[in-house]
Amino acid sequence: MKKKGNFKGTRNIAHSLQIGRAIIMGLILEYEGKEFLFKKYRIPMLEYRLVRSREEAEKAIDELGAPVAVKAQILSGGRGKMGLVKFSRTKEEALANYDEITSREFDGRPINLVVIEAGADIKQEVFVSMVFDNTGNIVVLFSAEGGVEIEKLAEEEPEKISRFVVPFDDEIYPYMFAAGVGKQGFTGKVKMKIATIIATLVKMMVKEDLQLAEINPLIITNSNDVVAIDSRIGIDEDAMFRHPEREEWLSAELRDTPAEKDAHEHGLAYVDLGGDIGMLSCGAGMGMATADLIEYYGGEPRNFLDVGGGASPEKVENALRVMVSEGGLKSILINAFGGITRLDDVAKGIIEAKKKYNIDIPMVIRLNGTNQEEGVALLKEAGMEAYLSMEDSVEKAVKLAKGEN
Amino acid sequence: MKKKGNFKGTRNIAHSLQIGRAIIMGLILEYEGKEFLFKKYRIPMLEYRLVRSREEAEKAIDELGAPVAVKAQILSGGRGKMGLVKFSRTKEEALANYDEITSREFDGRPINLVVIEAGADIKQEVFVSMVFDNTGNIVVLFSAEGGVEIEKLAEEEPEKISRFVVPFDDEIYPYMFAAGVGKQGFTGKVKMKIATIIATLVKMMVKEDLQLAEINPLIITNSNDVVAIDSRIGIDEDAMFRHPEREEWLSAELRDTPAEKDAHEHGLAYVDLGGDIGMLSCGAGMGMATADLIEYYGGEPRNFLDVGGGASPEKVENALRVMVSEGGLKSILINAFGGITRLDDVAKGIIEAKKKYNIDIPMVIRLNGTNQEEGVALLKEAGMEAYLSMEDSVEKAVKLAKGEN
Amino acid sequence: MAILLNKDTKVIVQGITGFQGLFHAKKMRDYGTQVVGGVTPGKGGTEIEGFKVWDSVAEAVEATGANATCIFVPAKFAKSAAYEAIDAGVELVVLITEGIPKIDTMSIVKRANKKGSTLIGPNCPGLITPGQAKIGIIPTNIVKPGKIGVVSRSGTLTYEVLEQLSNAGLGQSTCVGIGGDPYKQTNFVQVLKLFQEDPETEKIVMLGEIGGNAEELAAEFIKEHVTKPVVGYIAGKTAKPGKTMGHAGAIIQGGKGTADSKIKTLESVGVKTVNRISEIPDLLK
Amino acid sequence: MAILLNKDTKVIVQGITGFQGLFHAKKMRDYGTQVVGGVTPGKGGTEIEGFKVWDSVAEAVEATGANATCIFVPAKFAKSAAYEAIDAGVELVVLITEGIPKIDTMSIVKRANKKGSTLIGPNCPGLITPGQAKIGIIPTNIVKPGKIGVVSRSGTLTYEVLEQLSNAGLGQSTCVGIGGDPYKQTNFVQVLKLFQEDPETEKIVMLGEIGGNAEELAAEFIKEHVTKPVVGYIAGKTAKPGKTMGHAGAIIQGGKGTADSKIKTLESVGVKTVNRISEIPDLLK
């Protein structure tokens, strides 16, 4: 994860390409949510073990005793549907499930982090999830019908979901959620236990710089305990300086692909988009607009790669190195508008990278703005040309990718 | 210290007799303020050691190296004037000062807790002190002229004291104090260091449930460090449930006399007032009014001793035990108004105590209100009489104390 | 009419399943107060001695239309309980609990101010409108209906005064125990204003104490706004001046807060003060 | 006239002794902006490149009468810096810093609302009134005075648009970069209102992005209150829908926030939208 503190960077907007700017966050693993947050805030849980090998899995199953749940640790919801959470009545079944899950991949990586969790005595499954809205409130949804079809329930039977809106800077107490939980049919101790867990999650949202806190399912046992079976937590990556230990969490490694990680370490924003036109922009908004224009002309961007405003030659060079390291490129488009950025610096970076990494993929360069003449002159010297217009350069890059000329 | 959580007690009002209800607090030792609060909040200090014997003192002086300050740990300000803080240029001088200080008494107890503190390189002494006002603000006073004559300075040259008023629930930052500290002649790094220490103290006031936070002197060294030499902290005793470790602090022992401690442990309010009429009231306001009336009739109350409303026979019995344990009584006045209190219970307690502790000091009893007849009957059986009017009973008790009849 | 509280006030008791809460809920009901139920989180849906119990104030208010609450919960939970009542829109919040941390009380007062609740207490005996209703713990056998408004910082002392008034044939319109803690929303000034506006109150008794500046503020208010006769008493003449309040405390407090200075200030605005409580009834006749 | 900023605005720079702060302070001054000094705590009383430095905003404001600030401090200290400006009564607070924790931004917005400061940003390039003054980092060589109001969520994209406008002979009244973070005080609606009221602004360009509902709110506002022509562009058509926002996020967000839905909503209230930036100038002629 890149160092914070520079005042004008580009990381956020890279994420925004994936999820829209409204909610920018880094998911963490179920295990991390439980181990590093739920434990600290005393949210009731079942016993569990994180295991990284078959031996550890077997030991955990023996210690906890069947039945157990075998749960893949990946950065995604919907694990049940994917068959990555499996309830297992016997030790044998649990080991078989472990073997099956760890034989699979997710997001291009092998699954080798698994949680073994003690079996639960479930009377009812309920659901709680919360995010911030855009006006500084925490919006909490609670339903007595837990499970995975929550979006459908919200659409079809909205009255089955209680919604609470809490200003982010209010003090939080369980009473605030009691009536709403009551409306879903709970009373007395169970109601107050649920309200207390909701209040705790809301407090965590602020104190722990979270962007998402969800428990689905939260279960009510036959002895009326209320226990968190899952944890789905998104953290605010901009708040990492307040939680430096999170840099060491397993999820920090899993969140980025190797190319993304490489890019972030060099202060670049990188998102894999899956096409075949390598795209480099100076500035994130420009990057989005460039990607849109590539599609407008019928092409497909391979990535979103942004060096930000005022990039140095080294940054441009690194960006190109990251770009070509991924392979599969049919053309490269460099769209540099020189406002703060000096175009001679951009040109220097391009020339250096081309030489150093032997880049022979067709390259289209657009330079317009500050120190344009100097930049164009440098490129010319190195045998390259530059476009002035963004549209023209994009059109050309798309043609090249299609093998046209 | 008595257990909290009962909804109607009397402890506060006992303190209010001494200090007025506006500011109710328990002072802690300089050492405790530094060790348990300043260290946690990283307020710069000199090195120091708490010592309890001459051997420990000698070791500390050797470790710190002369010059050192030798400082008695007592629950009071003004130690300098009392000769209980002594700067010592050599080891010999320091040991002599240690011997002198520990040969003395304060508040009826030997002084055996001493801090040895490293010598300071003082360019300037400044002063900061803060309390809550009655409207939910923290009022901070700061002056560039530290030392002990602050009240005089406030009167004669008020412009030399900067005053800040901060709402208790605001977020606190150093910038809030920068301009005010600047007005006292500071600039740049020293100004911001002072402002940061003030901000830290204000935060402590709220987070640590303090009622008073004072550093006098806060010093500026020749290398422009800003260092706390003293700490004078008052805690909110009502907030003890949030800071249970404070029950174990040395100051918790020192704060009460043995009789006060005994009383508090039995849920009674006790304050030594120094006269010769033992006074027991059912309710604190009544206690104050009774003490006033004793003085009105020319007597002097020995104590303020309150069993509260609705006291049991055992509580009354214990109260009388505490009262007579102190000695020096010429008469005893029991003023019981029966609102919630049942007067037969009061009578039972009196009778039991008189028997158990062989109390033969002349006793004046006033019973008026709930179950009055039953109470009077019980007393009569035991050979005692009761007054109906508060005034009459007080007048009688004063006469008895003066040896009249 | 009386002030703050009458026979139509609908009261809930927070902490009703606790010993004190239940004891006094019954006493209030016995006196004729409309106690419409109580709140104990986790015991919602049950009933105790004829009182319905809810898990939260919001639910109790929704079900009963309660507009007043009497809080008997321990100090540790008092802040949450008071917040809950304030958030539920309860108009009159009477906080009996004593020993609440100062910061918590300040927070409660701030929230009550913001949301428009009237907060009596903490560390107070509550209030009573003789012949109609009471909220809190003031004994009912010592009051009688009448035209004297009583406001007091002290608990038990008030009872003594009430009994002497009643014995002297001086009934009370309403008696408000504002409580002994330094931080509060409803202080002398607020109650004096209500008594001044209340047509049924003819004269006022004000029981003060040493410390703080509530009596001084009351004197200012009386000078400007109170035309009804006021009799005052200040407890604590015997008290020694404080030593532990620090330089800031001493400088801010100045010479104020002693019994003598309070008595002088009150006398200067026409309040008759007495040295002995027994003198009060005569001054009201 | 222009909006928010003109040649009389007195600007201080917070973080002026830092590399970026000083660099852009000089650029602002070079453009004719009245940069009356800067703030770096601990460096008060010094001077840097002709700029006086104070320890706090309050002191700088007292000495200079500054009514605007440009904040360049690192994300970790941005909240305190913004609070400081707001508390000192600075009318226009431009927060350039990016990467500020969401909770901190919410706190800043709340304080600005409460105390009446206008907050631009965070994570924004600032604003420029061509020919008069600029606060922030927008390049000055690509703008020229005129009658087009520009408001944008994106930084560098704005520069591209400004240059194309200027090259086409379409000068700008004011250009406001409102910044890319989801939480902000000054959003499209606030700036559109100012442009609508500004007699010197004749037409408006609005540069939006996927995510959130700022463009949808702008459309609502335009429908009711904006009579001047508006041209819009939404970046991010290529973007894939998010997967990490959780059930609550998905349910609250619903189907909104995509480029297509934003474009549709804007078109429905009469905003002309374009697929390519190069089409913008023609629509304004």
Side-chain angles (χ1 to χ4, degrees):
Chain A
M1 213 149 292
K2 92 173 166 57
K3 287 276 174 290
K4 293 300 153 22
N6 57 330
F7 78 97
K8 200 70 204 141
T10 54
R11 194 183 43 73
N12 278 351
I13 201 154
H15 282 251
S16 80
L17 262 182
Q18 294 181 291
I19 60 175
R21 292 217 199 204
I23 297 153
I24 296 162
M25 67 177 83
L27 275 185
I28 61 173
L29 297 172
E30 172 202 1
Y31 166 76
E32 294 169 326
K34 289 179 167 176
E35 190 70 16
F36 304 132
L37 295 168
F38 287 9
K39 266 196 187 163
K40 180 173 165 191
Y41 287 85
R42 295 182 202 173
I43 291 178
M45 292 181 287
L46 301 171
E47 245 193 297
Y48 59 81
R49 305 273 189 281
L50 179 71
V51 300
R52 296 161 197 256
S53 69
R54 200 173 200 278
E55 292 68 43
E56 286 179 15
E58 189 166 358
K59 187 163 169 272
I61 297 162
D62 285 340
E63 281 171 12
L64 299 172
V68 294
V70 181
K71 307 164 96 176
Q73 298 300 295
I74 57 169
L75 292 180
S76 171
R79 289 176 297 163
K81 277 188 187 170
M82 291 187 257
L84 293 176
V85 170
K86 299 219 168 183
F87 299 96
S88 318
R89 273 155 302 181
T90 63
K91 179 176 172 183
E92 292 65 38
E93 196 182 336
L95 281 173
N97 283 329
Y98 176 85
D99 292 340
E100 204 275 316
I101 283 172
T102 53
S103 72
R104 289 171 59 180
E105 283 201 342
F106 179 77
D107 213 7
R109 295 168 201 262
I111 295 173
N112 45 33
L113 295 170
V114 169
V115 158
I116 309 289
E117 189 170 61
D121 151 35
I122 302 180
K123 187 165 77 180
Q124 188 175 356
E125 297 193 350
V126 305
F127 154 87
V128 57
S129 180
M130 58 190 72
V131 292
F132 288 100
D133 68 10
N134 281 346
T135 61
N137 294 313
I138 297 167
V139 182
V140 182
L141 302 184
F142 170 76
S143 171
E145 301 189 9
V148 286
E149 299 296 336
I150 293 299
E151 280 91 344
K152 209 174 143 196
L153 187 69
E155 198 134 309
E156 292 169 5
E157 298 176 89
E159 74 284 355
K160 287 201 173 163
I161 296 181
S162 288
R163 182 186 285 234
F164 309 90
V165 178
V166 189
F168 79 95
D169 58 348
D170 201 0
E171 296 170 74
I172 303 300
Y173 293 96
Y175 74 80
M176 296 171 169
F177 309 99
V181 173
K183 288 221 165 69
Q184 300 300 332
F186 297 96
T187 187
K189 283 207 180 358
V190 168
K191 178 208 272 179
M192 294 316 295
K193 282 179 187 172
I194 294 172
T196 302
I197 288 173
I198 296 175
T200 304
L201 288 175
V202 173
K203 278 186 236 175
M204 275 171 48
M205 286 286 280
V206 174
K207 284 203 178 169
E208 298 291 337
D209 286 297
L210 307 184
Q211 290 282 292
L212 165 71
E214 182 170 302
I215 304 178
N216 185 26
L218 180 70
I219 63 158
I220 295 138
T221 67
N222 285 307
S223 48
N224 285 331
D225 288 325
V226 180
V227 180
I229 296 291
D230 196 6
S231 95
R232 192 161 176 222
I233 302 289
I235 58 172
D236 179 358
E237 293 186 57
D238 285 330
M240 213 59 115
F241 66 80
R242 283 201 280 257
H243 313 278
E245 75 287 355
R246 292 181 186 170
E247 305 272 6
E248 311 303 323
W249 287 3
L250 295 162
S251 52
E253 284 294 312
L254 294 175
R255 212 168 290 137
D256 297 331
T257 64
E260 283 170 355
K261 191 160 175 273
D262 184 356
H264 295 174
E265 274 166 8
H266 291 88
L268 305 162
Y270 182 93
V271 185
D272 195 327
L273 295 176
D276 53 17
I277 300 173
M279 179 185 97
L280 185 156
S281 67
C282 303
M286 275 291 278
M288 273 207 223
T290 309
D292 289 351
L293 215 51
I294 288 174
E295 296 215 338
Y296 179 85
Y297 284 110
E300 276 184 60
R302 172 74 178 98
N303 55 29
F304 174 90
L305 176 55
D306 174 27
V307 298
S312 64
E314 291 70 33
K315 214 166 173 183
V316 173
E317 184 197 316
N318 262 314
L320 284 167
R321 179 182 57 74
V322 169
M323 185 196 286
V324 298
S325 72
E326 286 284 274
L329 296 179
K330 293 194 177 151
S331 69
I332 290 174
L333 169 64
I334 296 161
N335 181 7
F337 180 83
I340 311 167
T341 313
R342 291 167 47 147
L343 297 176
D344 49 343
D345 283 348
V346 174
K348 280 179 203 157
I350 296 171
I351 294 162
E352 190 61 24
K354 200 168 154 64
K355 203 161 32 178
K356 228 171 180 168
Y357 309 112
N358 294 313
I359 304 175
D360 55 4
I361 301 152
M363 209 181 255
V364 182
I365 301 160
R366 181 261 183 147
L367 300 183
N368 187 350
T370 308
N371 290 10
Q372 178 187 320
E373 280 172 35
E374 292 88 332
V376 172
L378 284 170
L379 288 182
K380 205 161 207 173
E381 225 170 86
M384 287 182 269
E385 273 179 276
Y387 285 77
L388 190 65
S389 142
M390 176 166 158
E391 266 86 353
D392 293 349
S393 66
V394 173
E395 215 176 342
K396 178 71 178 175
V398 172
K399 276 189 183 160
L400 286 171
K402 291 185 177 163
E404 302 166 20
N405 253 313
Chain B
M1 212 150 291
K2 91 174 167 57
K3 290 273 176 291
K4 294 301 154 20
N6 57 330
F7 79 97
K8 199 71 205 144
T10 53
R11 194 183 43 74
N12 280 350
I13 201 152
H15 283 251
S16 79
L17 262 181
Q18 293 180 291
I19 60 175
R21 291 216 201 204
I23 297 153
I24 297 162
M25 66 178 83
L27 276 185
I28 61 173
L29 296 173
E30 172 203 359
Y31 165 77
E32 293 169 327
K34 289 179 168 177
E35 189 71 16
F36 304 133
L37 294 168
F38 287 10
K39 265 194 189 164
K40 179 172 165 191
Y41 287 85
R42 295 182 201 172
I43 292 178
M45 293 182 285
L46 302 171
E47 245 193 295
Y48 60 80
R49 305 274 189 281
L50 179 72
V51 300
R52 296 160 197 257
S53 68
R54 199 173 200 276
E55 291 67 45
E56 286 180 13
E58 190 166 356
K59 186 163 169 271
I61 296 162
D62 286 340
E63 283 172 10
L64 298 172
V68 294
V70 181
K71 307 162 96 177
Q73 298 299 296
I74 58 169
L75 292 179
S76 172
R79 288 176 300 164
K81 277 188 186 169
M82 291 187 256
L84 292 175
V85 170
K86 299 218 167 183
F87 299 97
S88 318
R89 272 155 302 179
T90 63
K91 179 178 173 182
E92 292 66 37
E93 196 182 335
L95 281 172
N97 283 328
Y98 175 84
D99 292 340
E100 205 277 317
I101 283 172
T102 51
S103 73
R104 290 172 58 180
E105 284 202 340
F106 178 77
D107 213 8
R109 296 168 201 261
I111 295 174
N112 46 33
L113 294 171
V114 170
V115 158
I116 310 287
E117 188 171 60
D121 152 34
I122 302 179
K123 187 165 79 181
Q124 188 176 356
E125 297 193 350
V126 305
F127 154 88
V128 57
S129 180
M130 59 191 70
V131 293
F132 288 99
D133 69 8
N134 282 345
T135 61
N137 294 313
I138 297 167
V139 182
V140 182
L141 302 184
F142 170 76
S143 171
E145 301 189 9
V148 286
E149 299 296 337
I150 292 300
E151 280 92 342
K152 212 175 140 195
L153 187 70
E155 198 134 309
E156 292 169 5
E157 299 176 88
E159 73 285 355
K160 287 199 174 164
I161 297 182
S162 288
R163 183 186 284 233
F164 309 90
V165 178
V166 189
F168 78 94
D169 58 348
D170 201 0
E171 296 172 74
I172 303 300
Y173 294 95
Y175 75 80
M176 295 171 169
F177 309 99
V181 172
K183 288 221 165 71
Q184 300 300 331
F186 298 96
T187 187
K189 284 207 180 357
V190 168
K191 178 208 271 179
M192 293 316 295
K193 283 178 187 171
I194 294 172
T196 302
I197 288 172
I198 295 175
T200 304
L201 289 175
V202 172
K203 278 186 237 177
M204 275 170 49
M205 286 286 280
V206 174
K207 284 205 180 170
E208 298 291 336
D209 287 298
L210 307 185
Q211 290 283 290
L212 165 70
E214 182 170 301
I215 303 179
N216 185 26
L218 181 69
I219 62 158
I220 295 137
T221 68
N222 285 307
S223 47
N224 286 331
D225 288 326
V226 180
V227 181
I229 296 292
D230 197 6
S231 94
R232 193 161 176 222
I233 303 289
I235 58 172
D236 179 359
E237 293 187 56
D238 285 332
M240 212 59 116
F241 65 80
R242 282 201 280 256
H243 313 278
E245 74 288 355
R246 292 183 186 167
E247 305 271 6
E248 311 302 324
W249 286 3
L250 295 162
S251 53
E253 283 294 312
L254 295 175
R255 212 168 291 137
D256 296 331
T257 63
E260 284 170 354
K261 191 161 174 272
D262 184 356
H264 295 174
E265 275 166 7
H266 291 88
L268 306 163
Y270 182 94
V271 184
D272 195 327
L273 296 174
D276 55 16
I277 301 174
M279 180 186 97
L280 185 156
S281 66
C282 302
M286 276 291 277
M288 272 207 224
T290 310
D292 289 352
L293 215 50
I294 288 173
E295 294 214 339
Y296 179 84
Y297 285 110
E300 277 183 60
R302 174 71 179 101
N303 55 28
F304 173 91
L305 176 54
D306 174 28
V307 298
S312 64
E314 291 70 33
K315 212 165 175 184
V316 173
E317 184 198 316
N318 262 313
L320 284 167
R321 179 182 56 74
V322 169
M323 185 197 287
V324 299
S325 72
E326 286 285 273
L329 295 178
K330 292 191 176 152
S331 71
I332 289 173
L333 168 64
I334 295 161
N335 181 6
F337 180 84
I340 312 167
T341 313
R342 293 167 45 147
L343 297 176
D344 49 343
D345 283 347
V346 175
K348 281 179 203 158
I350 296 169
I351 293 161
E352 189 63 22
K354 201 169 155 61
K355 202 161 33 179
K356 226 171 183 169
Y357 309 114
N358 294 313
I359 304 174
D360 55 4
I361 301 152
M363 210 181 254
V364 182
I365 301 160
R366 181 261 184 148
L367 300 183
N368 187 350
T370 309
N371 290 11
Q372 176 187 321
E373 280 174 34
E374 292 87 332
V376 173
L378 284 171
L379 287 182
K380 206 164 206 171
E381 225 169 85
M384 287 182 270
E385 272 178 278
Y387 285 79
L388 190 65
S389 142
M390 176 166 157
E391 266 86 352
D392 293 351
S393 67
V394 172
E395 213 176 343
K396 178 70 178 175
V398 172
K399 276 190 182 160
L400 284 171
K402 289 184 178 166
E404 302 168 18
N405 253 312
Chain C
M1 238 180 81
I3 67 166
L4 291 167
L5 170 68
N6 61 34
K7 61 183 165 40
D8 299 322
T9 307
K10 288 183 181 170
V11 183
I12 54 167
V13 173
Q14 287 175 257
I16 197 161
T17 57
F19 173 76
Q20 295 285 0
L22 185 58
F23 179 79
H24 289 290
K26 286 192 283 183
K27 291 269 182 195
M28 288 184 237
R29 181 173 60 187
D30 292 347
Y31 194 59
T33 314
Q34 286 196 49
V35 181
V36 295
V39 172
T40 297
K43 298 202 173 159
T46 64
E47 213 170 279
I48 185 166
E49 304 242 2
F51 297 110
K52 280 194 177 174
V53 181
W54 284 270
D55 288 311
S56 69
V57 176
E59 290 165 298
V61 166
E62 198 186 335
T64 65
N67 56 0
T69 181
C70 191
I71 302 179
F72 282 100
V73 306
K76 200 169 170 173
F77 307 109
K79 183 175 162 188
S80 165
Y83 270 28
E84 183 174 357
I86 293 163
D87 285 5
V90 175
E91 290 161 33
L92 180 63
V93 178
V94 182
L95 185 48
I96 308 297
T97 311
E98 73 123 31
I100 299 176
K102 311 296 173 284
I103 290 287
D104 291 8
T105 301
M106 286 186 241
S107 303
I108 296 168
V109 169
K110 180 141 188 174
R111 203 166 183 105
N113 288 340
K114 196 174 156 193
K115 306 225 175 173
S117 293
T118 297
L119 173 74
I120 311 286
N123 189 17
C124 82
L127 63 166
I128 185 164
T129 293
Q132 297 200 46
K134 81 156 176 169
I135 300 179
I137 63 172
I138 297 175
T140 55
N141 57 329
I142 53 172
V143 298
K144 68 179 224 181
K147 300 190 176 291
I148 310 288
V150 179
V151 55
S152 172
R153 261 173 85 184
S154 160
T156 47
L157 188 60
T158 316
Y159 310 159
E160 177 85 30
V161 172
L162 287 173
E163 207 218 15
Q164 295 207 15
L165 290 175
S166 296
N167 285 345
L170 295 160
Q172 304 91 40
S173 55
T174 299
C175 171
V176 185
I178 58 174
D181 280 10
Y183 309 103
K184 51 174 84 86
Q185 181 205 53
T186 302
N187 217 319
F188 286 121
V189 166
Q190 287 73 21
V191 180
L192 286 169
K193 181 169 188 291
L194 294 173
F195 279 142
Q196 173 65 21
E197 289 164 359
D198 174 37
E200 284 187 24
T201 300
E202 288 179 358
K203 297 177 182 177
I204 301 165
V205 173
M206 181 183 145
L207 303 174
E209 270 177 21
I210 50 161
N213 64 346
E215 291 79 5
E216 285 82 351
L217 293 174
E220 263 179 55
F221 182 81
I222 289 167
K223 192 180 174 186
E224 298 291 326
H225 302 291
V226 179
T227 57
K228 298 177 181 180
V230 181
V231 173
Y233 173 83
I234 305 292
K237 287 200 200 69
T238 325
K240 299 180 230 170
K243 279 186 215 152
T244 57
M245 60 178 83
H247 290 297
I251 291 169
I252 293 159
Q253 184 91 341
K256 288 172 289 181
T258 66
D260 283 347
S261 89
K262 284 178 190 295
I263 288 168
K264 217 169 135 187
T265 309
L266 286 170
E267 289 275 350
S268 77
V269 299
V271 174
K272 291 179 212 164
T273 64
V274 297
N275 282 315
R276 294 177 299 166
I277 285 169
S278 57
E279 296 165 20
I280 293 174
D282 279 347
L283 286 178
L284 292 166
K285 277 181 182 162
Chain D
M1 237 181 82
I3 67 167
L4 291 166
L5 170 68
N6 61 33
K7 63 181 161 44
D8 299 323
T9 307
K10 288 183 180 171
V11 182
I12 53 167
V13 172
Q14 287 176 256
I16 196 161
T17 58
F19 173 76
Q20 295 286 0
L22 184 58
F23 179 80
H24 289 290
K26 286 192 285 182
K27 292 268 183 194
M28 288 185 236
R29 181 172 61 187
D30 292 347
Y31 195 60
T33 315
Q34 285 197 49
V35 181
V36 295
V39 172
T40 298
K43 298 204 174 158
T46 64
E47 214 170 278
I48 186 166
E49 305 241 4
F51 296 111
K52 280 194 176 172
V53 181
W54 283 269
D55 289 311
S56 70
V57 176
E59 289 165 298
V61 166
E62 199 186 334
T64 65
N67 56 0
T69 181
C70 192
I71 302 180
F72 283 100
V73 306
K76 200 168 170 174
F77 307 108
K79 182 176 163 188
S80 165
Y83 271 28
E84 182 173 358
I86 293 162
D87 285 6
V90 175
E91 291 161 33
L92 181 63
V93 178
V94 181
L95 185 48
I96 308 295
T97 311
E98 73 124 30
I100 300 176
K102 310 297 172 285
I103 289 288
D104 292 7
T105 301
M106 286 185 239
S107 304
I108 295 168
V109 169
K110 181 142 188 174
R111 203 165 184 105
N113 287 341
K114 196 173 156 193
K115 306 225 175 173
S117 293
T118 296
L119 173 74
I120 311 285
N123 188 18
C124 83
L127 64 166
I128 186 164
T129 294
Q132 298 199 46
K134 81 156 177 168
I135 300 179
I137 62 173
I138 297 176
T140 55
N141 58 329
I142 52 172
V143 299
K144 69 179 224 181
K147 300 190 175 293
I148 310 287
V150 179
V151 54
S152 173
R153 259 173 87 181
S154 160
T156 46
L157 189 59
T158 318
Y159 309 160
E160 177 86 29
V161 173
L162 287 173
E163 209 218 14
Q164 297 207 14
L165 290 176
S166 296
N167 285 346
L170 295 159
Q172 304 91 40
S173 55
T174 299
C175 171
V176 185
I178 58 174
D181 280 10
Y183 309 104
K184 51 173 85 85
Q185 181 205 52
T186 302
N187 217 320
F188 286 121
V189 167
Q190 287 73 21
V191 180
L192 287 169
K193 182 169 185 293
L194 295 173
F195 278 142
Q196 172 67 21
E197 289 164 358
D198 175 36
E200 283 187 25
T201 300
E202 288 180 357
K203 296 176 182 178
I204 301 165
V205 174
M206 182 183 145
L207 304 174
E209 270 177 21
I210 50 162
N213 64 346
E215 291 79 5
E216 286 82 351
L217 294 174
E220 263 179 55
F221 182 80
I222 289 168
K223 192 179 174 187
E224 297 292 324
H225 303 291
V226 178
T227 58
K228 299 178 182 178
V230 181
V231 173
Y233 172 83
I234 304 292
K237 288 200 198 71
T238 325
K240 300 179 230 169
K243 281 186 213 151
T244 58
M245 59 177 82
H247 290 299
I251 291 168
I252 292 159
Q253 184 91 342
K256 287 173 289 181
T258 66
D260 282 346
S261 88
K262 283 177 192 294
I263 288 169
K264 215 169 137 186
T265 310
L266 286 170
E267 288 274 350
S268 77
V269 300
V271 174
K272 290 178 213 165
T273 64
V274 297
N275 281 317
R276 293 178 301 166
I277 285 170
S278 56
E279 297 166 18
I280 294 174
D282 279 345
L283 286 178
L284 292 165
K285 279 182 183 162

